[in-house]
Amino acid sequence: TWIILRDVKYSETQGHTGAVIALAAASPKSSLGGKPPGGNVVTTTVEQPLLYSASLDGTIRAWDPFDMSCLSVLREDRSEIACLHHSPLCDFLLTGHDDGTIRLWNVDSGSTITLSGHTNTVCCLGVTTRGVESALLLSSGFDGHVGIWDVTKRQHAMPRLELLFSAHSEEVFALQVSHHSSSFVTAGNDKKIRVWSLKSFELLANLEGHAEAVTCLALDGNFLLSGAEDGMVRMWDLHSFMALGVLRVHEAPVEDILVVPASGWLVTCSTDNTVRVWDYGAGQELKAWRHPEQFRCVALKRSTGHVVAGTDEHHIVSFPLSDVVAEQRARVAAEKAAQDAAEAAERETAEREAVEAAAAEGAPAGAPAAHGAGAAPA
């Protein structure tokens, strides 16, 4: 039996056997090691960016972004993976776990360094620099605390916890580092967004306005975007700490968001089975991709121009941003054509009215109307 699907605007990748809870795009590496589906350790030369995915099946997979073939598999047997983070500022792949630990993965060997300090699930991570050579890891999660870790690679020195402080009274669900404003942002179940100094780790601002728990954060230069369980995204200025606007993006909780650097478009995903693209400044939805499965996370494959989303049913779904670009170009062209046509009609009307006005001005006062060509006088 053949099943033919026409006009399908997405492709699916299989491999995980549990919900895909996090995706991370990574810069090229000279080699990537790990255990492929067959089980033996291999080393593969990779000359393009990679896509990493983390799943509740206890695995982290590395994918070729062009054909979405699985390059390697790293396995976590001790605890459930709650988040995944990759940063070009750090030599490790980072995961947070439900037992309060953080793992720093060497993707070449599959070995890990475990960091302990949190007392509950670690579900958000970020990396920044201190000076020229030091790398700092920021962590947070269900214990409401923020951990500051020195993860600089040094000979004979292990990563260490420098500071652990209470940031929220309830669970923290999201953390973002803003290099533009030398700050980092946390948000969570208490509906509050808090901005902290990267230098002193002091509180700079409380941003309030969400009516439900804040689930995700994204940065666009000086602007902060925050998604919540009520389907709303709010926009903030991190310089003035002013609220800029609010947008309803879903009818269900916003699970994850990102900003496309080239266009400034906002991409959102939700358990309402959609991934949506927005011009958030104009408050306009540009695209809605629908799928039978609920979404948990999104990432951007810049090398291929695709948005990828992880689902509860263990798939990674790829959507082409080129569709949105083409549709927007067609819309702009249609609007320009309509504007040109309207302007041409206005010019034609103005010219006709000018001719009629000139003709009326040239007629003698009280002159009788013409009775038609060749009419004889009375």
Side-chain angles (χ1 to χ4, degrees):
T1 301
W2 291 86
I3 300 175
I4 300 175
L5 302 176
R6 304 189 190 279
D7 298 322
V8 174
K9 297 299 184 182
Y10 59 81
S11 59
E12 290 183 352
T13 300
Q14 300 182 2
H16 286 293
T17 58
V20 179
I21 54 94
L23 295 164
S27 302
K29 291 282 186 182
S30 59
S31 64
L32 176 71
K35 292 185 178 181
N40 296 322
V41 175
V42 297
T43 299
T44 306
T45 299
V46 180
E47 297 179 351
Q48 70 276 343
L50 300 172
L51 177 72
Y52 290 107
S53 60
S55 170
L56 294 184
D57 64 11
T59 66
I60 302 164
R61 292 177 179 262
W63 307 88
D64 183 313
F66 293 96
D67 62 10
M68 288 301 289
S69 59
C70 184
L71 301 175
S72 67
V73 182
L74 301 169
R75 302 189 185 279
E76 167 58 45
D77 299 321
R78 290 165 286 183
S79 59
E80 188 174 281
I81 301 171
C83 66
L84 171 73
H85 185 79
H86 180 275
S87 170
L89 302 176
C90 179
D91 291 329
F92 300 101
L93 186 66
L94 309 166
T95 53
H97 298 259
D98 69 345
D99 62 357
T101 61
I102 301 164
R103 306 257 196 275
L104 281 60
W105 296 80
N106 182 320
V107 294
D108 294 312
S109 65
S111 63
T112 62
I113 298 170
T114 299
L115 307 181
S116 299
H118 289 280
T119 59
N120 207 332
T121 299
V122 176
C123 62
C124 43
L125 301 166
V127 176
T128 187
T129 57
R130 179 174 55 196
V132 178
E133 298 180 351
S134 296
L136 292 181
L137 167 65
L138 285 68
S139 61
S140 195
F142 288 7
D143 63 3
H145 285 65
V146 169
I148 310 295
W149 311 78
D150 186 342
V151 293
T152 309
K153 250 191 173 179
R154 298 187 184 93
Q155 194 172 9
H156 310 303
M158 293 291 286
R160 60 189 179 85
L161 178 64
E162 290 195 348
L163 179 65
L164 185 69
F165 65 91
S166 177
H168 292 257
S169 59
E170 299 182 42
E171 296 93 335
V172 174
F173 296 146
L175 181 152
Q176 280 285 339
V177 177
S178 172
H179 298 287
H180 280 83
S181 58
S182 297
S183 63
F184 67 96
V185 186
T186 57
N189 202 37
D190 61 5
K191 310 170 190 175
K192 297 176 182 177
I193 301 169
R194 289 184 167 164
V195 186
W196 308 85
S197 168
L198 272 175
K199 297 178 181 178
S200 64
F201 306 116
E202 294 178 348
L203 181 64
L204 300 177
N206 274 306
L207 309 180
E208 298 188 13
H210 280 289
E212 297 294 339
V214 182
T215 55
C216 48
L217 300 168
L219 292 165
D220 186 14
N222 303 327
F223 301 133
L224 171 71
L225 299 103
S226 54
E229 286 189 349
D230 57 3
M232 309 297 285
V233 164
R234 289 184 176 270
M235 293 145 292
W236 316 84
D237 184 344
L238 283 183
H239 280 173
S240 64
F241 304 126
M242 296 290 290
L244 300 177
V246 61
L247 189 64
R248 174 170 289 282
V249 296
H250 292 281
E251 296 301 323
V254 184
E255 293 292 322
D256 200 6
I257 59 177
L258 64 84
V259 175
V260 181
S263 61
W265 292 339
L266 171 68
V267 180
T268 64
C269 76
S270 172
T271 52
D272 65 3
N273 304 72
T274 65
V275 172
R276 298 173 186 264
V277 184
W278 300 84
D279 179 343
Y280 71 87
Q284 179 184 9
E285 181 184 286
L286 305 180
K287 186 73 176 180
W289 288 299
R290 290 173 171 80
H291 190 268
E293 300 172 6
Q294 295 183 342
F295 291 106
R296 294 285 295 271
C297 53
V298 287
L300 178 64
K301 288 196 300 179
R302 297 177 70 172
S303 54
T304 65
H306 284 76
V307 170
V308 286
T311 75
D312 264 337
E313 289 76 12
H314 61 255
H315 291 113
I316 299 172
V317 187
S318 297
F319 302 100
L321 271 177
S322 57
D323 283 1
V324 189
V325 174
E327 289 171 8
Q328 291 310 299
R329 286 176 178 169
R331 181 184 63 81
V332 170
E335 289 177 353
K336 187 177 185 305
Q339 182 179 356
D340 291 345
E343 290 175 353
E346 288 179 3
R347 286 195 300 270
E348 183 178 342
T349 299
E351 290 171 0
R352 184 176 67 252
E353 290 175 349
V355 170
E356 292 174 351
E361 289 176 1
H371 296 284

